[in-house]
Amino acid sequence: MQSGAGKAAERLTILKPGDWSPQLVVLCIFLGVLLITGGSSRYDVPHLVVLRPLAVCVLGFALATINVDAWRTYRPAILLFASAFALTALHLIPLPPHIWQALPGRQIIADIDAAAGLKDIWRPLTMFPEGTWNALYALSVPLAALLLAAQLNQRDLVRLLVWVTALSLVTGLVGVLQAAGSDISLYHLNPENSGLFANRNHQAAMLACLFPMLGALAMSAPRFSMSARAVRIVSAAVAITLIPLILVTGSRMGLVVAALAFVYTGIVSLWQGAGRRRHAYYSLTLLAAGLATAAAMVLVTIYAARDVAINRLDGDAEDLRWQFWESIVAFLPQYLPWGSGVGSFVPVYQIHEPGGMLMPGYVNQAHNDWLDLALTSGAPGIILAAIAVALFARATGAALVAPGITGHIRRAGIGTILVLAFASLSDYPLRTPLISALFAIAAIWACVPSAQRKTAESSDQNVTA
């Protein structure tokens, strides 16, 4: 039995830097830099001059400090991310001419080579090596975040949760200032109310991820050194504030994933109350009150003429996404089973772009990362995606029954991954460095082991020693 002093010692003190691990400090600084430099998915933004070298250095630090325990605990997630990195690297290995020319979809380039007298040139599997190199460098960001987060203990993971929440609120605050007329912008192509992102959909996705995170913080409130009631009140107030923040982004996808995140957080709260009738009734009451408050905030935002996302539901009748997807589905089989190469979407789409869809600009992404994955990565990418979905399903089942603060962290990770997976159906949030790092951290949250199990393992090792 623990004494009262022992229980008090277990309370989480967030603002106690001396108790933070070096990995947490480095990761928090890295995320802070990502907030300023990692809000665009484009390869030509000047911010990458700072971001990419820093990401490689942080990845090196993570590899130098990772231990066997972290590898054993998070082996499936680490292997999955490493496999994605390896697949991208394999697409850059030069192949003999007779092998490369036999790959599906390469005939047009083979004909050009023949006309130019370049029949014997060795080429990699990818049809756009520059794009694949860019994708390989871009993977250093989530890999660094994943390996650093994998080395954190339970206390540091909760601190990381608070830090990510705070950073998300910063970009939300910038979105408020933009809605009020400020011209704050970090990127040349920066739509209104997109915060520190170059895309309003990415801003909305980041804010939607806050719902499960805030739910985890509220449920973990009794473990904080501060007042549990204060933590819950602040979490609820921030959650309510998120509704108009997402609405003013003008992102229709943001509305959908925000609703998904809100409902997920409510269901998780009710799930935690199952078996405790009084708590279940209390949670149900809170959920009903939350829904009513959310509806009221939507009405207030509409009345204030800031309902950009709702207005866009009726507008943009000429939205070309469906036409993009139909054309991609039509020519995608031509590149199976090996794909056109990671990062090669733009030039490949230009080869097959329907004449009726030609425009002054160009299609920079498929606006559906699941389709993009199938086109550019082929069967190997589809297999990795299927493995990721299976691991997610297993982690979800474990998270729903996980007790205590471990369960709250896991469910926050599951909710974050769910939001980003759905957002990727009509956009490309994971191509943004900041959100790719958030996704990697969420993967660690989703499978964090219980403190009891880690303690037991450490005790066994001490006895053996």
Side-chain angles (χ1 to χ4, degrees):
M1 182 177 294
Q2 288 180 310
S3 64
K7 290 182 179 179
E10 292 180 357
R11 289 187 176 275
L12 290 164
T13 304
I14 302 300
L15 301 175
K16 188 179 180 182
D19 196 28
W20 291 25
S21 66
Q23 290 81 2
L24 176 61
V25 173
V26 172
L27 181 53
C28 287
I29 294 174
F30 184 46
L31 290 173
V33 174
L34 283 174
L35 184 68
I36 305 300
T37 63
S40 174
S41 62
R42 295 182 62 90
Y43 66 90
D44 55 356
V45 292
H47 305 69
L48 295 184
V49 175
V50 174
L51 175 57
R52 290 279 171 82
L54 176 63
V56 172
C57 291
V58 173
L59 177 58
F61 173 79
L63 289 171
T65 57
I66 195 168
N67 52 46
V68 176
D69 288 340
W71 161 252
R72 290 175 178 171
T73 303
Y74 301 105
R75 179 165 48 192
I78 294 175
L79 282 176
L80 186 63
F81 276 74
S83 298
F85 187 89
L87 177 62
T88 305
L90 286 173
H91 281 198
L92 290 165
I93 297 177
L95 300 173
H98 66 281
I99 294 179
W100 186 88
Q101 292 172 7
L103 294 174
R106 272 60 175 185
Q107 188 58 46
I108 184 173
I109 300 180
D111 292 342
I112 294 173
D113 283 349
L118 301 174
K119 291 183 179 180
D120 297 329
I121 189 171
W122 286 49
R123 293 184 181 276
L125 183 147
T126 177
M127 297 176 66
F128 186 44
E130 293 85 352
T132 306
W133 276 110
N134 175 66
L136 189 68
Y137 290 133
L139 286 173
S140 62
V141 173
L143 269 175
L146 180 85
L147 295 181
L148 284 177
Q151 300 178 58
L152 304 182
N153 58 31
Q154 189 185 81
R155 287 173 175 267
D156 282 347
L157 285 173
V158 176
R159 290 172 176 138
L160 179 60
L161 181 62
V162 175
W163 180 247
V164 172
T165 301
L167 293 181
S168 302
L169 290 176
V170 170
T171 186
L173 176 61
V174 173
V176 171
L177 295 176
Q178 291 170 339
S182 172
D183 59 353
I184 299 174
S185 176
L186 294 178
Y187 304 97
H188 175 63
L189 298 174
N190 202 95
E192 295 180 355
N193 310 333
S194 59
L196 295 177
F197 288 93
N199 187 311
R200 58 163 57 95
N201 293 323
H202 302 160
Q203 165 85 340
M206 186 82 174
L207 294 177
C209 290
L210 278 175
F211 283 112
M213 289 189 242
L214 291 169
L217 291 177
M219 297 293 287
S220 305
R223 286 290 307 275
F224 288 99
S225 58
M226 61 190 73
S227 168
R229 176 173 294 182
V231 172
R232 286 170 176 160
I233 290 175
V234 171
S235 298
V238 172
I240 293 171
T241 305
L242 285 176
I243 298 169
L245 292 182
I246 293 173
L247 285 173
V248 300
T249 62
S251 170
R252 293 162 295 179
M253 176 275 294
L255 285 180
V256 175
V257 295
L260 173 68
F262 190 88
V263 171
Y264 168 85
T265 305
I267 292 175
V268 163
S269 177
L270 290 177
W271 181 276
Q272 292 305 295
R276 291 181 290 168
R277 182 173 300 178
R278 181 179 178 183
H279 182 75
Y281 290 154
Y282 178 69
S283 298
L284 186 60
T285 302
L286 286 180
L287 179 60
L291 290 173
T293 304
M297 291 300 295
V298 171
L299 293 175
V300 169
T301 308
I302 293 174
Y303 180 78
R306 291 292 184 183
D307 55 321
V308 184
I310 293 179
N311 286 340
R312 291 183 74 232
L313 288 176
D314 295 328
D316 284 353
E318 300 299 322
D319 193 337
L320 299 177
R321 276 187 174 86
W322 286 105
Q323 297 179 52
F324 293 156
W325 299 338
E326 289 175 357
S327 61
I328 293 170
V329 170
F331 66 76
L332 188 153
Q334 300 179 32
Y335 294 92
L336 294 178
W338 304 114
S340 61
V342 176
S344 66
F345 172 80
V346 172
V348 170
Y349 182 80
Q350 289 172 345
I351 293 174
H352 303 276
E353 187 172 12
M357 295 179 63
L358 292 175
M359 61 187 74
Y362 70 97
V363 181
N364 67 323
Q365 300 288 350
H367 291 80
N368 183 321
D369 264 350
W370 297 92
L371 268 181
D372 188 297
L373 177 73
L375 171 65
T376 60
S377 301
I382 294 172
I383 292 172
L384 286 181
I387 293 173
V389 171
L391 291 175
F392 174 77
R394 188 179 71 173
T396 300
L400 291 176
V401 297
I405 196 168
T406 297
H408 304 324
I409 297 173
R410 283 187 176 185
R411 289 183 283 274
I414 293 296
T416 301
I417 294 173
L418 187 66
V419 167
L420 296 178
F422 269 86
S424 296
L425 287 171
S426 63
D427 208 77
Y428 45 96
L430 294 182
R431 297 179 187 275
T432 303
L434 177 58
I435 297 182
S436 72
L438 172 61
F439 180 80
I441 291 169
I444 297 299
W445 285 339
C447 50
V448 60
S450 64
Q452 292 82 1
R453 191 178 79 183
K454 292 186 75 174
T455 302
E457 290 175 354
S458 299
S459 299
D460 291 341
Q461 290 175 357
N462 290 337
V463 171
T464 304

